[in-house]
Amino acid sequence: MPTNFTVVPVEARADAAEAQDGGDQAAGQPEAQGCPEGRAGPEPDCPSPSPGPGDGTPRESSPFINSVEVERDTFLAGRNMAQEGFCEGRNMALFEEEMDSNPMVSSLLNKLANYTNLSQGVVEHEEDEDRRRREIKAPHMGTFIGVYLPCLQNILGVILFLRLTWIVGVAGVLESLLIVSVCCTCTMLTAISMSAIATNGVVPAGGSYYMISRSLGPEFGGAVGLCFYLGTTFAGAMYILGTIEIFLTYISPSAAVFRAEVAGGEAAAMLHNMRVYGSCTLALMAAVVFVGVKYVNKLALVFLACVVLSILAIYAGVIKTAFDPPDIPVCLLGNRTLSWLSFDVCAKVHPGLNGTVTTNLWDLFCNGSMPSATCDEYFTQNNLTVIQGIPGVASGVVLDNLWSTYMDKGSFVEKEGTPSVPAPDEARASSLPYVLTDIMTHFTLLVGIYFPSVTGIMAGSNRSGDLRDAQKSIPTGTILAIATTSFIYLSCVVLFGACIEGVVLRDKFGEALQGKLVIGMLAWPSPWVIVIGSFFSTCGAGLQSLTGAPRLLQAIARDGIIPFLQVFGHGKANGEPTWALLLTAFICEIGILIASLDSVAPILSMFFLMCYMFVNLACAVQTLLRTPNWRPRFKYYHWTLSFLGMSLCLALMFICSWYYALCAMLIAGCIYKYIEYRGAEKEWGDGIRGLSLNAARYALLRVEHGPPHTKNWRPQVLVMLNLDAEQAVKHPRLLSFTSQLKAGKGLTIVGSVLEGTYLDKHAEAQRAEENIRSLMAMEKTKGFCQLVVSSSLRDGTSHLIQSAGLGGMKHNTVLMAWPEAWKQTDNPLSWKNFVDTVRDTTAAHQALLVAKNVDLFPQNQERFSEGNIDVWWVVHDGGMLMLLPFLLHQHKVWRKCRMRIFTVAQVDDNSIQMKKDLQMFLYHLRISAEVEVVEMVENDISAFTYEKTLMMEQRSQMLKQMQLSKNEREREAQLIHDRNTASHSAVAAKTQAPHTPDRVQMTWTKEKLVTEKHKVKDASTGGFKDIFSLKPNQSNVRRMHTAVKLNGVVLSKSQEAQLVLLNMPGPPKNRQGDENYMEFLEVLTEGLNRVLLVRGGGREVITIYS
């Protein structure tokens, strides 16, 4: 067998397979392996498992390049596998160092091919895969089973069976068609938007919550997700109430626990019965969901079959009425409908053995059974008639039912066009067997009651993980289901209006039909088909709501965006949401205690409408932003359709109930602000972030045209922080002061400089940036962090001053700390960097704030109960000195401090007039402050000033000499190094080149070195002797005199002030005096606790005009 083998290109793999048979004969012959003759070492196309002669570079090892340096038997066993893996590794050798973080395309595609309900992204996918470590059943559901039927089951429900006939009777056929059309249009537009979002990538479990949160961000996602959860929970309550209403009204009225003790108390007794039975049913359903949720899913098809059979029975009954209408009598007294529950014959008297005999109806309206008894006046003056409740399609009754008949609570259900004699006294109407309306009806109420019957369009997207092709099935199945149910609802509205008498339609509980379900009397072959079918379908829908709502809450809790909900993310060992189920049952109980189906329906309409509104908003935002990731497979959408759907949802919310709409918005708004304030930071690539970026770009382009007007000027601060060796901030109080100055308004850029190169310092830069951001969060500084790595601190600071910010959002003020260690000899450049920064800000026309003794400045938690903020206004700087204390005074730390303004008067100034002018100026500026004019008397320069100036110049000269001596010492060390290097070079060169005079001159001898050392020593000694014979510069004496005098005045007035703001003099034009400038500033602020040196930016920042 050969000990080396050939790496063959992909195209030549077949040839390599053929050549493999001759491998034994080719052993030890490099030519047979395709290598150049005479070469046994590895070539790019012929690697060898062991280095050959002259091969001094070992092969690079990598997890993606299989090593073949193995034992002979191992190599023989795995030869083919090793060869194949090695070929792949060598082909990808250019990328081998990145493969740890960036997997190969083949492995990535292999993982994505088995994609199931996992989060987006490679990293999240792999983490989820590692966590599960189990085989996941392949999705198999198609469009019909996975999307169409679940949507059909969720859309068709309790409102269709219990309230649609009543809505048609009250609103009329035309307005009912309008209600149904508007609601179905709303859901169709929402379904189009939802299809676009659902086909823009894989949608894991979570349905609408996942889509909204990943499209609009965690704040909107959490708010709307909770609204959707509440809507689903109240839907469960509505379905349970519908189940109990069917049971107590149409199946077993005798099972009622509470009975009406007085006339007219039936409605109150019914509500109490609904509460008792509803609570028991809820407890039973919650137990079923807790114990065996899989049985609920298995029964889903049974419940769906009940719905489909019921609808088919309705259509069959309508067809039968065309040629054989059912005999369903309805009793009218005059034009009023009577409740056919407590009498058997619709007549006042009927013939008996001994003549005419009064009926049960006579006993209800009269005070006795005798014909001479006193009866109700309306009963006496009007006749009883019997009409057919369901005359049939061919009867033409549809013309009578076209228009609306809205009524107040307690009104009679009357048949229009029937003659009637009115009666004046109607006091006993509620105790008589009339059919009365139980609530006041109007168009908006009917919209709110009907809308829950079109919800349920999210059922397909909630099952996206079980679909074979979710991106094809969700749009097709959902839109087909909405089209089908819309046709069913619209046709039912027309057919109900064409078949059923108007008074029967307006009879909500079927009292005129002897307590039977109106839609059941229309159905064929038996009313019980509808009664039993609607009972089981509403029961199943309630179970489905109690199954889905806890899982939705669990998904929100596990996202971690709402901290107080995290407990509901836990459950049983198999993942069932136990705690979420308990909360769902509790909220559902609140809906059941309301007890009225008509009152609960508008509540859940609000929550569903809000959810649908934000689905449309998400699609519109993504479409308008044209984000690169927005590539839905569903192409039949447009932002105008989404915007129309959003507007329609918002309009329907206020049409249904304006106060419920406001409450729902308030709840969503509170959740939004809570997540924004306390929730975990999530980055989901949402559209709101893209919208913010677009808005920021638009605003930046708008404000870039020129500098802001003086009225709009505020300090946009660049805060220069210094870092220690551990990349921690040296002066954190500087950020505290920034927060107090800015109070969250305007621009704040927190900058810092690291010395070095970015390639070497990027890890330290990241750590420093994290430290700065954490400190900003602790100090509640709202702003941006910008860290620069530069070869020198001086250059880095200059770069920040020049380039920080973007467009019109650039800083106009630099805030930095005073270099406390500027006098220390181990840091000679600190004062030079500081002075150069002052010059840079002046050149850039930016204001400069220098905080001296910054570690004594207050933290944000401190409060000054008294004290002064003293402003020393020596020269006019554009009004910065006036504006800064006003801004500080807005913060709680400085709020109780008084503001005092001092100005300096010379000998020839009128102090009294200056004070009046300054007071008037402050009055026009609307700033409250005490004013004082301090006179500085001209006097001779003191000996102290002269001596201090002399000491300053001597120190400056000494520092120069010390710096010079340091340079000489460095040169001396370099000379010794050169001498040693030259001597070694000379020895090495003896055998190669002749000894030349030039090479001798470059070698240092001992005598030359001693002479040079004495020369440097004498020069430095002489320099130090010259220092003590210096005479102070007169310009420096005058400057020192001003600093000493002004410092004395400031100390006399402001030594106890909480903060002193002082004009900062500019640096000298002659750079030779920079260290003297630092001394002047030190003398000027000596003895003061907290000082803010202020230097204006060369423009007015405050104005007296409005």
Side-chain angles (χ1 to χ4, degrees):
M1 294 297 290
T3 56
N4 56 3
F5 57 91
T6 306
V7 177
V8 183
V10 176
E11 295 84 353
R13 187 168 291 179
D15 299 336
E18 294 174 3
Q20 205 170 14
D21 296 334
D24 293 336
Q25 290 79 9
Q29 299 177 9
E31 295 81 19
Q33 304 301 324
C35 294
E37 187 173 356
R39 293 285 301 276
E43 285 287 322
D45 288 334
C46 57
S48 175
S50 58
D55 187 4
T57 306
R59 183 183 305 138
E60 186 174 357
S61 63
S62 169
F64 291 91
I65 301 179
N66 294 329
S67 176
V68 292
E69 295 179 2
V70 292
E71 297 294 332
R72 180 179 176 82
D73 53 350
T74 309
F75 175 76
L76 294 178
R79 179 176 185 270
N80 293 333
M81 293 176 62
Q83 180 173 351
E84 193 170 320
F86 185 67
C87 291
E88 182 183 14
R90 286 300 293 267
N91 287 336
M92 292 292 108
L94 185 61
F95 302 96
E96 62 188 9
E97 292 184 357
E98 301 177 9
M99 287 182 182
D100 291 336
S101 57
N102 301 335
M104 292 182 64
V105 174
S106 58
S107 62
L108 175 64
L109 292 177
N110 182 43
K111 291 171 183 175
L112 291 180
N114 301 318
Y115 197 95
T116 59
N117 264 358
L118 301 182
S119 307
Q120 294 183 3
V122 179
V123 177
E124 290 175 300
H125 175 79
E126 291 179 348
E127 287 176 355
D128 225 16
E129 192 176 52
D130 292 339
R131 190 178 71 246
R132 291 189 174 194
R133 294 292 186 189
R134 65 171 185 265
E135 188 72 24
I136 300 172
K137 188 177 179 181
H140 60 278
M141 287 188 179
T143 303
F144 186 75
I145 297 294
V147 179
Y148 181 75
L149 291 182
C151 285
L152 212 63
Q153 179 187 0
N154 279 267
I155 294 172
L156 299 171
V158 61
I159 301 296
L160 170 65
F161 301 117
L162 295 184
R163 292 292 183 270
L164 189 58
T165 54
W166 174 72
I167 290 173
V168 174
V170 174
V173 172
L174 296 180
E175 289 188 24
S176 297
L177 287 174
L178 177 63
I179 292 173
V180 173
S181 300
V182 170
C183 294
C184 290
T185 302
C186 176
T187 55
M188 180 63 80
L189 293 173
T190 304
I192 291 172
S193 300
M194 185 194 72
S195 299
I197 298 174
T199 58
N200 188 50
V202 180
V203 179
S208 60
Y209 162 69
Y210 182 92
M211 290 189 292
I212 295 171
S213 62
R214 269 57 176 181
S215 297
L216 292 179
E219 293 88 359
F220 276 111
V224 181
L226 277 184
C227 287
F228 189 53
Y229 163 74
L230 291 173
T232 308
T233 305
F234 274 102
M238 183 188 74
Y239 289 130
I240 292 173
L241 290 174
T243 304
I244 302 306
E245 183 176 314
I246 293 171
F247 177 73
L248 290 178
T249 308
Y250 307 115
I251 295 178
S252 179
S254 59
V257 177
F258 296 92
R259 305 284 180 180
E261 297 179 358
V262 294
E266 293 84 359
M270 183 64 178
L271 292 180
H272 291 317
N273 288 319
M274 298 278 280
R275 293 184 181 104
V276 172
Y277 276 96
S279 300
C280 296
T281 306
L282 172 63
L284 180 63
M285 286 185 176
V288 170
V289 171
F290 177 77
V291 172
V293 68
K294 58 182 179 181
Y295 301 112
V296 177
N297 295 328
K298 288 181 179 179
L299 289 173
L301 284 177
V302 177
F303 299 140
L304 177 62
C306 293
V307 175
V308 174
L309 288 175
S310 301
I311 293 171
L312 292 177
I314 293 170
Y315 282 117
V318 170
I319 294 171
K320 181 176 178 295
T321 62
F323 55 86
D324 183 18
D327 182 21
I328 301 174
V330 175
C331 185
L332 299 179
L333 177 61
N335 64 350
R336 300 176 182 174
T337 311
L338 295 181
S339 175
W340 206 322
L341 294 174
S342 51
F343 61 92
D344 51 356
V345 180
C346 184
K348 296 180 180 178
V349 294
H350 62 87
L353 297 176
N354 298 323
T356 57
V357 180
T358 58
T359 61
N360 294 338
L361 195 58
W362 179 279
D363 296 339
L364 294 173
F365 281 91
C366 303
N367 59 1
S369 58
M370 299 301 294
S372 59
T374 304
C375 297
D376 180 77
E377 188 174 351
Y378 188 85
F379 179 76
T380 305
Q381 296 180 2
N382 290 277
N383 296 322
L384 289 166
T385 56
V386 176
I387 62 172
Q388 284 299 319
I390 303 180
V393 178
S395 64
V397 73
V398 67
L399 298 176
D400 298 331
N401 294 331
L402 284 178
W403 310 108
S404 61
T405 309
Y406 297 115
M407 296 171 287
D408 292 330
K409 182 178 181 180
S411 300
F412 299 103
V413 177
E414 300 176 336
K415 178 174 173 56
E416 296 179 0
T418 302
S420 172
V421 179
D425 185 17
E426 299 292 347
R428 294 180 58 239
S430 60
S431 61
L432 297 175
Y434 291 119
V435 177
L436 304 176
T437 57
D438 61 334
I439 57 173
M440 184 180 71
T441 54
H442 44 82
F443 179 80
T444 58
L445 174 74
L446 298 183
V447 173
I449 292 175
Y450 173 75
F451 188 81
S453 65
V454 297
T455 60
I457 62 173
M458 301 289 185
S461 62
N462 290 343
R463 290 168 170 79
S464 60
D466 299 324
L467 301 174
R468 188 182 305 116
D469 185 359
Q471 298 192 0
K472 178 183 176 183
S473 298
I474 289 176
T476 307
T478 305
I479 292 174
L480 278 179
I482 293 175
T484 304
T485 52
S486 299
F487 171 77
I488 290 172
Y489 283 128
L490 291 170
S491 61
C492 283
V493 166
V494 176
L495 294 176
F496 290 164
C499 293
I500 305 174
E501 184 63 50
V503 291
V504 177
L505 288 173
R506 290 187 288 277
D507 182 7
K508 185 187 290 186
F509 301 108
E511 297 175 65
L513 305 180
Q514 301 178 0
K516 296 177 181 176
L517 184 62
V518 175
I519 197 172
M521 302 304 293
L522 177 64
W524 180 87
S526 168
W528 287 102
V529 175
I530 296 291
V531 174
I532 301 300
S534 61
F535 176 80
F536 281 112
S537 69
T538 52
C539 185
L543 280 172
Q544 292 284 354
S545 297
L546 287 179
T547 303
R551 281 159 178 74
L552 179 61
L553 181 62
Q554 187 181 46
I556 299 172
R558 285 183 172 175
D559 261 346
I561 57 175
I562 306 177
F564 70 84
L565 286 182
Q566 289 186 358
V567 64
F568 298 107
H570 306 297
K572 292 194 292 187
N574 59 353
E576 292 298 322
T578 308
W579 294 106
L581 178 61
L582 290 176
L583 181 64
T584 302
F586 175 75
I587 297 174
C588 198
E589 177 65 20
I590 295 175
I592 288 172
L593 291 178
I594 296 174
S596 172
L597 187 70
D598 302 322
S599 300
V600 174
I603 296 176
L604 65 101
S605 295
M606 289 301 114
F607 293 123
F608 277 120
L609 279 167
M610 181 167 288
C611 178
Y612 296 166
M613 179 177 73
F614 280 103
V615 169
N616 285 295
L617 174 63
C619 183
V621 166
Q622 297 279 26
T623 307
L624 289 174
L625 288 179
R626 297 187 180 94
T627 51
N629 191 53
W630 179 246
R631 302 184 301 275
R633 289 187 179 276
F634 181 78
K635 301 298 181 184
Y636 305 102
Y637 70 95
H638 195 266
W639 69 268
T640 52
L641 295 177
S642 300
F643 188 78
L644 179 62
M646 182 183 69
S647 305
L648 200 55
C649 289
L650 186 63
L652 283 173
M653 286 177 68
F654 283 93
I655 286 173
C656 293
S657 174
W658 64 268
Y659 46 89
Y660 278 166
L662 291 178
C663 289
M665 288 182 171
L666 181 63
I667 292 172
C670 291
I671 298 169
Y672 178 95
K673 295 305 292 182
Y674 176 79
I675 297 172
E676 187 180 52
Y677 179 68
R678 291 289 305 276
E681 291 292 332
K682 297 285 182 183
E683 176 52 65
W684 288 332
D686 50 88
I688 290 298
R689 181 176 175 82
L691 192 64
S692 302
L693 290 173
N694 265 21
R697 170 184 165 274
Y698 176 77
L700 282 172
L701 291 174
R702 286 287 304 271
V703 300
E704 189 163 4
H705 294 302
H709 191 273
T710 304
K711 290 186 291 186
N712 297 329
W713 194 96
R714 66 167 57 246
Q716 318 285 12
V717 180
L718 169 63
V719 186
M720 299 299 301
L721 294 180
N722 295 323
L723 304 175
D724 59 18
E726 300 298 325
Q727 281 76 48
V729 178
K730 282 186 179 179
H731 303 294
R733 297 289 180 95
L734 202 60
L735 279 182
S736 303
F737 183 70
T738 305
S739 301
Q740 296 157 21
L741 181 65
K742 300 290 293 178
K745 303 295 190 297
L747 174 70
T748 302
I749 302 174
V750 181
S752 187
V753 180
L754 275 182
E755 197 168 5
T757 60
Y758 184 71
L759 287 179
D760 298 331
K761 294 281 187 178
H762 67 275
E764 290 88 340
Q766 289 180 352
R767 186 161 64 251
E769 193 166 343
E770 290 173 3
N771 293 339
I772 293 174
R773 289 186 190 280
S774 62
L775 183 62
M776 289 173 66
M778 191 185 307
E779 298 292 344
K780 297 182 180 177
T781 304
K782 303 288 186 183
F784 309 97
C785 176
Q786 190 163 353
L787 191 135
V788 171
V789 181
S790 178
S791 56
S792 69
L793 294 176
R794 165 76 189 90
D795 291 342
T797 305
S798 179
H799 294 160
L800 273 178
I801 291 173
Q802 294 176 62
S803 61
L806 179 66
M809 289 294 285
K810 289 183 71 69
H811 62 279
N812 54 30
T813 305
V814 177
L815 172 62
M816 59 190 304
W818 173 262
E820 303 288 349
W822 72 273
K823 288 187 177 182
Q824 297 178 7
T825 56
D826 59 344
N827 192 13
L829 292 179
S830 65
W831 59 268
K832 189 155 187 63
N833 290 339
F834 175 80
V835 178
D836 286 340
T837 303
V838 176
R839 287 196 174 98
D840 286 344
T841 56
T842 304
H845 300 288
Q846 295 172 3
L848 177 65
L849 309 178
V850 179
K852 195 165 185 291
N853 300 326
V854 68
D855 293 329
L856 299 178
F857 276 55
Q859 291 182 323
N860 290 328
Q861 295 77 21
E862 297 181 37
R863 301 287 184 270
F864 288 132
S865 58
E866 58 182 4
N868 300 315
I869 300 177
D870 286 356
V871 177
W872 284 86
W873 193 19
V874 181
V875 293
H876 182 57
D877 59 351
M880 278 286 288
L881 282 171
M882 307 295 169
L883 187 61
L884 292 176
F886 170 77
L887 295 175
L888 285 173
H889 202 261
Q890 311 301 312
H891 197 272
K892 295 177 181 178
V893 174
W894 306 93
R895 188 163 294 166
K896 294 185 179 180
C897 294
R898 294 177 303 163
M899 182 174 166
R900 299 192 302 180
I901 297 182
F902 299 91
T903 188
V904 178
Q906 302 298 324
V907 177
D908 52 350
D909 292 330
N910 187 341
S911 302
I912 298 175
Q913 188 61 39
M914 279 181 67
K915 185 172 182 178
K916 288 182 180 179
D917 293 343
L918 183 54
Q919 287 173 336
M920 182 58 66
F921 180 57
L922 291 177
Y923 174 76
H924 287 305
L925 290 177
R926 291 90 64 199
I927 293 177
S928 300
E930 299 178 18
V931 175
E932 187 171 343
V933 177
V934 179
E935 296 182 356
M936 288 188 67
V937 182
E938 284 283 350
N939 53 9
D940 295 333
I941 298 173
S942 64
F944 171 76
T945 302
Y946 191 86
E947 182 181 354
K948 199 166 185 65
T949 309
L950 184 59
M951 290 174 61
M952 176 189 73
E953 292 191 352
Q954 287 176 349
R955 180 181 179 279
S956 175
Q957 193 66 25
M958 189 178 299
L959 285 173
K960 287 180 180 178
Q961 292 293 340
M962 289 174 65
Q963 187 66 27
L964 187 62
S965 301
K966 181 182 177 183
N967 293 339
E968 294 293 347
R969 288 197 301 272
E970 290 175 355
R971 190 199 302 178
E972 180 181 330
Q974 185 63 38
L975 291 176
I976 296 172
H977 174 72
D978 291 344
R979 174 174 177 269
N980 292 334
T981 305
S983 62
H984 286 297
S985 300
V987 172
K990 280 182 180 180
T991 58
Q992 298 179 7
H995 196 71
T996 61
D998 291 340
R999 198 168 292 277
V1000 172
Q1001 291 298 322
M1002 292 181 67
T1003 305
W1004 280 79
T1005 63
K1006 183 176 180 181
E1007 293 77 9
K1008 285 186 179 182
L1009 183 60
V1010 173
T1011 305
E1012 183 65 25
K1013 287 172 67 176
H1014 282 296
K1015 187 187 297 183
V1016 172
K1017 185 176 180 181
D1018 293 342
S1020 60
T1021 305
F1024 281 116
K1025 286 179 180 178
D1026 292 340
I1027 291 175
F1028 299 104
S1029 61
L1030 281 174
K1031 290 186 179 180
N1033 183 286
Q1034 290 303 312
S1035 175
N1036 288 340
V1037 171
R1038 289 196 304 273
R1039 291 170 185 268
M1040 182 63 75
H1041 176 66
T1042 304
V1044 171
K1045 285 273 295 180
L1046 194 54
N1047 176 254
V1049 173
V1050 173
L1051 279 177
S1052 65
K1053 299 287 185 180
S1054 305
Q1055 191 165 12
E1056 301 300 326
Q1058 302 291 5
L1059 180 64
V1060 176
L1061 285 84
L1062 190 63
N1063 279 117
M1064 180 179 180
K1069 294 180 180 179
N1070 181 10
R1071 291 175 179 258
Q1072 300 298 322
D1074 285 355
E1075 63 274 18
N1076 297 339
Y1077 171 68
M1078 297 295 292
E1079 191 71 44
F1080 294 145
L1081 294 181
E1082 192 74 65
V1083 170
L1084 181 63
T1085 57
E1086 192 174 3
L1088 298 173
N1089 290 330
R1090 303 183 192 93
V1091 183
L1092 188 66
L1093 293 170
V1094 180
R1095 183 162 173 76
R1099 61 161 294 165
E1100 292 292 333
V1101 300
I1102 196 166
T1103 178
I1104 63 174
Y1105 299 104
S1106 61

